[in-house]
Amino acid sequence: MSAQPDDRPEGIVGKNYIDIENDHGETLRYRKHVNGRGLVAHGAKVHPSALVENGAYVEPGVQIAAGVRVGRGAWIESDAVIGPEAHIEPHAHICAGAVIGAGAHIGVRTQVGHNARIAMGSLIGDDEIINDGEAVATDRRGLRLAA
């Protein structure tokens, strides 16, 4: 007598989602992203080629493009948009409605404020704070360009 095949993909064991209650008493369901096992909320759109490392959180309404890397412990709040090939380093915080341009690099423990805009290819260093609504463009060395 042969065993029936399991419906789970090879190498994946256990639940692929977790339910978490938010500050408003609502229960949100997060699935573990197939590439990195970070938690992605229902309603977020993450390209399959993106890497969302274990311990990262992606909230509802977020859009993450191809080739993005989201580091361990990073938090991307609702309705943020992350452009292609952007890198979000560990423990960075991208606030609601922020837009990170293609190829931009956000440093370790950096906070990008609500509705802030980071230009394509910009380099934002470690431990920086980008204010709510601020628009930032840098050169390849991280020096800010005039607006």
Side-chain angles (χ1 to χ4, degrees):
M1 183 172 187
S2 65
Q4 292 294 326
D6 194 342
D7 289 346
R8 287 177 279 189
E10 184 175 338
I12 297 178
V13 178
K15 284 193 325 187
N16 283 323
Y17 67 88
I18 185 170
D19 292 324
I20 298 174
E21 187 175 314
N22 68 13
D23 294 337
H24 307 291
E26 305 162 329
T27 300
L28 298 176
R29 178 161 283 184
Y30 294 82
R31 64 181 160 74
K32 295 176 184 174
H33 188 58
V34 88
N35 192 7
R37 308 296 282 162
L39 296 176
V40 177
H42 179 73
K45 294 181 180 176
V46 179
H47 193 275
S49 70
L51 171 65
V52 180
E53 291 184 5
N54 195 8
Y57 286 86
V58 176
E59 301 294 347
V62 169
Q63 296 177 42
I64 297 180
V68 170
R69 188 176 139 275
V70 178
R72 199 176 281 272
W75 178 25
I76 303 178
E77 288 191 52
S78 298
D79 303 318
V81 177
I82 313 298
E85 304 296 326
H87 287 212
I88 311 297
E89 292 294 336
H91 306 289
H93 179 189
I94 310 301
C95 292
V99 176
I100 309 300
H105 187 109
I106 307 299
V108 177
R109 295 176 305 278
T110 290
Q111 177 173 315
V112 177
H114 293 84
N115 300 311
R117 304 286 183 261
I118 306 299
M120 186 170 77
S122 291
L123 173 62
I124 308 298
D126 296 345
D127 299 307
E128 289 198 37
I129 295 176
I130 306 300
N131 294 319
D132 293 351
E134 188 175 359
V136 176
T138 74
D139 64 14
R140 290 180 177 210
R141 296 172 292 165
L143 299 173
R144 292 196 185 199
L145 302 174

